Amino acid sequence: MKQEAFQGKGILVIGAGISGVAAAGILQRLGATVTLSDSNPQEKIKQDLSGLRQDGVTLAFGHQGDELLKGIDILVLSPGVSIEIPLVSAARERGIEVVSEIEVAYRLCKAPIAAVTGTNGKTTTTTLIGEMFKTTGRPVAVGGNIGAALSQEIMDISEQGLVIAEISSFQLEGAVHFKPHIAAILNVTPDHMDRHHSLENYRAVKEKIFARQTAADYTLLNYDDPVVREIAARVPSRTVFFSRQQELEQGVFVKDGVLWIRWEGKQINVCPVADIQIKGSHNVENALAACGVAYFSGVKPQDMARVLREFPGVEHRIEPVATIDGVGYFNDSKATNPESSIKALDAFDDGQILLIAGGRDKKTDLTEFMQLAHRKVAQLILLGEAAERFAVAATEQKVAGIQQVASMAEGVELGRRLAKPGQVVLLSPACASYDMFDNYEQRGRAFKDLVRRL
C-alpha cells in the first residue's frame, strides 16, 4: 500500500497535535479530501494551521458530532486521542476504517522499519539505534513518539534506508497492517491505566507491534522482564532475547562485564559495559536492545561500540542541569510513571535526594515507588493534580519531609533552600505533565530555566 491508496479517499483526522497536523497535510497533498478535527476550540490549538488551510484541508474544532463522518472512508486517530471516544464507535458502525497515524506512515513507507516499544527506555533506545545506523552511511529517519510525526519522517526515505520508530501503546491502538521488520519490546509495567484499564489490556496493545510479522522478521525481547519473556510464546517472527542478568545461548547479553552478541554460531564482543557513557542498569538494558536491533540492521559491532562510548543520553532523562553550592540539579521530566522514576532514584545515593514529583495522575500503583523513596529521599516536594494521592502514599511508607507546592517555581526554590552540599535536587515526576504543561519537554525546560536562574 503506497501513496495511491489514499487518493480520492475521504479522510477524517482526529486530534490537531503534531501527528494529526502532519498526517492531514500529507494525505491532502496525496489526493485525499481531508478534514482535521479537534475537540478543543481553535484558539487552544497550538500548531500552525496556515499550511493546511492553503492545501485545502477542512478544519473542524469543538463539538465532534456524527456529521463529521459524512463522506469519510478512513478515520485517522492522533495518539493523544482515545480509541474509545464515541466518534470512533460511530465510525466503526458505519464501516469506516479506523487507523492510527503510524498506520498511515507504514502504508506510505518504502523502507524497512525498526520499531521500539515498552513502558520505559523507548526514547533512549530509539535514539541510540538511530546514531548506530547513521554509521552505515545509508539513509535513516527517526520518528514516531519522539520528535516529528512518523508520517512526516518517512516521506523521503528510500528502500535502501531504515526508519526507526519509537512506538507508544496509544499509537499501537489503531495499528492494522503495521509490520516492522525488527520490533523490540523493552519492558512492560503498569502505565496509562486510566486509558488501558488493566495490565493485561496494556500488554495486549504492546503486542500489536509484532502481530503482522512473519518468520522473515525479528522481535527483540527483554529476558529479564517476566511479562516480556512470556510474550515470546506469541511472537510469529524470530525471537531474539537480550539480558543484563544472564548469559544467553543466543541473543544479546552481559557476561563478565562485557556486552556480547551471540547469534547463529557467531559470538561478538561489542564493548565493556563500563565504556557505556550513559549510566544506570536501565541504560545497560537499553544498550543491549539497541545493539540487537543495530546488528540485524547491518551495523558493524565496532561502530555500535563507538556510539555507546560517545552517546551522552537524551534530554529530560536524568539530565544534569547544574551544580549550585555543592548541590546537583537533575532533570528527569521524561519519567512519566513510577517505574521510570524508580530507575532515576536508583541512580543516586540513599537519603541524598530532594525529589520533585507529581503532575497529571495516571492512577498507577505507588507502593514500590514510595518504598524506595523512603530509603532514597531526604525531602519529597509534590505538585500538580496527583500531589494529594502521592502524599497519602508517601505517608503510608514513612517517606521523609513531605511538602506540597503550587508551582514548579515554588518547588525549585524550596529545593534550593532545603538542599545541603552533596545532595541532589531531582525532578522525576512519575506523572504525566498535562495538568500544568503541554508535554514533558515543556515541563523539563521550565525546570531547567528555573535552575539556571538560581
Side-chain angles (χ1 to χ4, degrees), residues 49-284:
L49 304 174
S50 57
L52 297 186
R53 290 192 182 93
Q54 291 173 7
D55 290 338
V57 174
T58 300
L59 303 177
F61 299 111
H63 174 68
Q64 292 179 320
D66 290 4
E67 66 276 3
L68 288 171
L69 300 174
K70 185 177 181 181
I72 297 301
D73 302 296
I74 303 171
L75 187 153
V76 178
L77 277 178
S78 297
V81 181
S82 172
I83 205 163
E84 296 178 353
I85 64 170
L87 198 60
V88 170
S89 299
R92 285 177 165 163
E93 287 174 5
R94 299 182 186 202
I96 296 169
E97 186 179 27
V98 177
V99 302
S100 61
E101 183 264 339
I102 63 159
E103 179 70 22
V104 172
Y106 172 73
R107 295 182 186 186
L108 294 173
C109 189
K110 303 180 185 74
I113 296 173
V116 178
T117 196
T119 307
N120 298 302
K122 296 186 295 295
T123 299
T124 297
T125 305
T126 303
T127 308
L128 266 174
I129 297 165
E131 293 302 307
M132 290 177 180
F133 193 77
K134 285 177 186 176
T135 66
T136 66
R138 292 158 58 196
V140 61
V142 179
N145 197 47
I146 173 176
L150 192 63
S151 56
Q152 183 173 308
E153 290 296 300
I154 56 90
M155 293 303 290
D156 298 323
I157 300 296
S158 67
E159 295 90 336
Q160 287 71 44
L162 180 69
V163 172
I164 303 157
E166 177 186 325
I167 304 295
S168 70
S169 58
F170 292 176
Q171 291 168 310
L172 285 167
E173 281 181 327
V176 180
H177 300 291
F178 180 72
K179 184 181 87 70
H181 175 50
I182 306 172
I185 303 180
L186 306 178
N187 41 63
V188 176
T189 55
D191 196 15
H192 306 298
M193 292 299 103
D194 53 338
R195 179 144 158 181
H196 297 304
H197 311 303
S198 72
L199 180 62
E200 291 71 26
N201 291 343
Y202 179 53
R203 176 193 50 74
V205 171
K206 290 289 190 189
E207 290 185 18
K208 293 184 77 174
I209 199 167
F210 59 70
R212 292 281 181 167
Q213 285 187 318
T214 69
D217 303 310
Y218 299 90
T219 292
L220 284 93
L221 299 174
N222 187 348
Y223 190 84
D224 302 334
D225 184 313
V227 176
V228 176
R229 189 193 318 159
E230 187 269 336
I231 285 172
R234 295 180 289 279
V235 173
S237 57
R238 284 173 282 188
T239 299
V240 184
F241 282 114
F242 62 93
S243 174
R244 177 175 57 86
Q245 300 173 354
Q246 188 165 326
E247 179 180 353
L248 302 172
E249 290 185 15
Q250 281 209 119
V252 191
F253 57 91
V254 174
K255 179 185 178 184
D256 299 329
V258 174
L259 195 157
W260 292 87
I261 299 172
R262 183 183 286 162
W263 189 253
E264 294 183 344
K266 294 181 180 178
Q267 184 155 302
I268 299 162
N269 176 330
V270 178
C271 70
V273 169
D275 284 4
I276 301 173
Q277 184 170 335
I278 48 175
K279 302 306 178 187
S281 57
H282 61 293
N283 278 323
V284 176

Side-chain angles (χ1 to χ4, degrees), residues 311-332:
F311 183 67
V314 298
E315 188 181 13
H316 311 297
R317 194 67 185 105
I318 321 183
E319 176 193 6
V321 180
T323 299
I324 302 169
D325 297 331
V327 176
Y329 291 77
F330 290 84
N331 164 33
D332 194 47

Side-chain angles (χ1 to χ4, degrees), residues 312-353:
V314 298
E315 188 181 13
H316 311 297
R317 194 67 185 105
I318 321 183
E319 176 193 6
V321 180
T323 299
I324 302 169
D325 297 331
V327 176
Y329 291 77
F330 290 84
N331 164 33
D332 194 47
S333 182
K334 200 172 190 313
T336 59
N337 55 63
E339 183 69 24
S340 188
S341 290
I342 284 169
K343 296 178 189 299
L345 294 180
D346 271 333
F348 299 97
D349 293 337
D350 290 1
Q352 298 301 305
I353 303 170

